[in-house]
Amino acid sequence: MFGSGMFQALQKKQKDTSKEKENAADRLEASRRRAAAEVAAGREKLRAQREARERVAAATEQALREERERQAAEEKARNAALEEYASLVRKRDPRAASGWYYVDDAGARQGPFASTKMRAWFVDGHLSHDLRVAPVFEEGGKLPGTDIMQRIDEIFDEPLLTSAFRSVARPRPPPNAEKPKPSKRKRDDAPKPTGDWLKDSLARQKKGIHHLRHDRNQGPAMLFESHDRNQD
């Protein structure tokens, strides 16, 4: 039989082992809970990020849709204005005139002058009501003859100070419209050198050719003349 001391030691050992098992189980459970909490936090973070991306995408799509609608509305209004202006030009409406001619006291045709300038002259009293004038509607078109010109008070309605030379603003072209590219001068357009750098430089400037590379052996560079290193 075991002695009382040995029995107590055995009981203590069993209690310690039981406590160790309980502590190990508690640590394992705590570790599992921490892992579960981390997983849940990670999922919540991913969900928040996904929702943020969705909100950003929705806001971007809304902004793009509004921009497309705005551009479509502007395009529609621009086309309507262009059509209205073109209709006025087809009708030869004075409000759409690009310029005006008039007959001076000597019977000579003068112009063309912008509608704003003609109106300023008329309002200031420099043009009489019986002055014969004629509108033009396109650049480079046929010039009006003096025989077809009419008096100002025959073209515009009363009161003349309100109606005379009032113009409709020409609609602007769309912003993406192609602009005519300026033609480049070819090297063949350059005048032949004479040996005098001053005369050669002045001759090139008169022709608008300023990209010829300067040769220091021919003298100092002329003012306002550029000398790029890149040659055609």
Short mmCIF file of all heavy atoms in Angstrom, two decimals, residues 2 7 92 131 141 171 229:
data_model
loop_
_atom_site.label_atom_id
_atom_site.label_comp_id
_atom_site.label_asym_id
_atom_site.label_seq_id
_atom_site.Cartn_x
_atom_site.Cartn_y
_atom_site.Cartn_z
N PHE A 2 0.33 2.25 -0.69
CA PHE A 2 1.08 3.52 -0.74
C PHE A 2 0.96 4.23 0.58
O PHE A 2 -0.09 4.19 1.24
CB PHE A 2 0.53 4.40 -1.87
CG PHE A 2 0.74 3.77 -3.23
CD1 PHE A 2 -0.31 3.19 -3.88
CD2 PHE A 2 2.00 3.77 -3.80
CE1 PHE A 2 -0.12 2.62 -5.11
CE2 PHE A 2 2.17 3.20 -5.03
CZ PHE A 2 1.12 2.63 -5.71
N PHE A 7 0.59 9.15 -1.78
CA PHE A 7 -0.78 9.31 -2.32
C PHE A 7 -1.08 10.78 -2.58
O PHE A 7 -1.66 11.14 -3.62
CB PHE A 7 -1.78 8.72 -1.33
CG PHE A 7 -3.19 8.82 -1.80
CD1 PHE A 7 -3.66 7.97 -2.79
CD2 PHE A 7 -4.06 9.76 -1.25
CE1 PHE A 7 -4.96 8.06 -3.20
CE2 PHE A 7 -5.35 9.85 -1.68
CZ PHE A 7 -5.84 9.00 -2.67
N ARG A 92 -30.56 84.87 -97.13
CA ARG A 92 -29.88 86.16 -97.28
C ARG A 92 -30.37 87.16 -96.25
O ARG A 92 -30.57 88.34 -96.53
CB ARG A 92 -30.07 86.72 -98.70
CG ARG A 92 -29.91 85.71 -99.82
CD ARG A 92 -28.51 85.14 -99.86
NE ARG A 92 -27.54 86.08 -100.39
CZ ARG A 92 -26.26 85.81 -100.55
NH1 ARG A 92 -25.80 84.60 -100.20
NH2 ARG A 92 -25.43 86.71 -101.03
N LEU A 131 -28.14 105.95 -96.90
CA LEU A 131 -26.90 105.37 -97.44
C LEU A 131 -27.20 104.01 -98.02
O LEU A 131 -27.86 103.17 -97.41
CB LEU A 131 -25.85 105.25 -96.33
CG LEU A 131 -24.49 104.68 -96.75
CD1 LEU A 131 -23.75 105.66 -97.64
CD2 LEU A 131 -23.64 104.33 -95.53
N GLY A 141 -16.77 85.51 -101.89
CA GLY A 141 -17.93 85.40 -102.77
C GLY A 141 -17.99 86.55 -103.76
O GLY A 141 -17.11 87.41 -103.83
N PRO A 171 -22.32 80.42 -85.03
CA PRO A 171 -22.01 79.34 -84.08
C PRO A 171 -20.58 78.86 -84.24
O PRO A 171 -20.03 78.80 -85.34
CB PRO A 171 -23.02 78.23 -84.46
CG PRO A 171 -24.10 78.93 -85.21
CD PRO A 171 -23.45 80.08 -85.92
N ARG A 229 18.85 73.48 -85.33
CA ARG A 229 19.84 72.50 -85.78
C ARG A 229 19.23 71.47 -86.70
O ARG A 229 19.93 70.87 -87.51
CB ARG A 229 20.46 71.82 -84.55
CG ARG A 229 21.28 72.77 -83.69
CD ARG A 229 21.95 72.05 -82.55
NE ARG A 229 22.77 72.95 -81.75
CZ ARG A 229 23.47 72.56 -80.69
NH1 ARG A 229 23.43 71.28 -80.31
NH2 ARG A 229 24.20 73.44 -80.02
#
